[in-house]
Amino acid sequence: RALCGGGGEALLREVVRRCSSWHAPVGEMLAETAAGSVWGTPLCDRAPMQHRSKQAGRARGGGAQAGEAQPSPWASRVTLLGDAAHAMTPFKGQGANQTLVDAALLGNLLAAALAGRGEGGTASALARYEREMCDKAEPKVAASRRAALLYHSAAALEPGSYGVSGVPAEEAAALLAELSRRGVTASDAGALEARAVAAWSESSS
């Protein structure tokens, strides 16, 4: 939090310090980065949103009759979508996607209710929207939270934590060692894939 509070210049200095030994072109990219374009913020998500629902209860002080459905605590015509309903960390890249899914779902359900195609009108449409929205979004919230914990742990620096597409898991470590021996790195840019494939083919033959 203290580093984030220092602004873009402080953040950029820290990134440059931490990445000083990284391969090209990382250094050049950082040198061309404007401090005003750098920002940092604490990461946060939220617990699942409570659904609006009818709850059966007993009569209290002259209220509803015994066994009659009680008014929902969420009787408002106001609802939420996107981060307001299910904020998540950015490490699964799903925040904006889920907002678009929410908007489409809410629009379709309200349109059907207003056209008389659904039972229960607007109230029922909102209840169904919130239920389906949470069912879709909450797994993404949980997965994003797990990813945030992983990427900010020591395990994120272990080569064995990551796989290589098309390479059996048990052979990935050997391939990474061979790439390191040959000096194959991200600095190879457009030639990276060809060099990596050649190393894999030759070492596994």
Side-chain angles (χ1 to χ4, degrees):
R1 290 180 181 271
L3 184 58
C4 293
E9 291 187 1
L11 286 166
L12 184 56
R13 282 196 303 271
E14 182 62 14
V15 172
V16 170
R17 184 187 70 79
R18 295 190 184 196
C19 301
S20 59
S21 63
W22 287 31
H23 58 74
V26 173
E28 291 90 331
M29 291 169 61
L30 293 175
E32 295 296 325
T33 299
S37 68
V38 180
W39 63 275
T41 182
L43 301 175
C44 63
D45 55 20
R46 60 164 293 169
M49 188 175 80
Q50 184 178 355
H51 301 181
R52 65 181 78 206
S53 60
K54 293 181 179 179
Q55 299 179 1
R58 296 184 177 180
R60 294 182 180 177
Q65 298 300 312
E68 184 179 346
Q70 300 297 306
S72 166
W74 301 104
S76 170
R77 292 167 65 90
V78 176
T79 190
L80 302 173
L81 56 72
D83 281 353
H86 45 67
M88 62 186 77
T89 74
F91 297 102
K92 281 293 183 180
Q94 287 296 312
N97 293 346
Q98 290 305 304
T99 301
L100 295 173
V101 170
D102 292 352
L105 174 63
L106 179 59
N108 289 337
L109 291 174
L110 286 178
L114 294 173
R117 297 195 302 271
E119 296 182 1
T122 301
S124 178
L126 291 175
R128 179 178 174 185
Y129 158 71
E130 290 177 0
R131 183 174 62 253
E132 294 187 15
M133 175 265 292
C134 288
D135 287 345
K136 293 174 184 293
E138 290 308 322
K140 307 295 192 305
V141 174
S144 298
R145 181 182 301 156
R146 290 193 297 270
L149 294 173
L150 170 63
Y151 296 155
H152 290 80
S153 71
L157 301 177
E158 295 294 330
S161 298
Y162 304 92
V164 180
S165 179
V167 178
E170 64 274 12
E171 299 179 25
L175 173 59
L176 293 174
E178 180 64 16
L179 294 178
S180 179
R181 186 184 70 80
R182 296 183 180 215
V184 179
T185 70
S187 61
D188 289 307
L192 175 60
E193 182 175 355
R195 292 196 64 192
V197 170
W200 168 242
S201 299
E202 294 169 12
S203 63
S204 59
S205 59

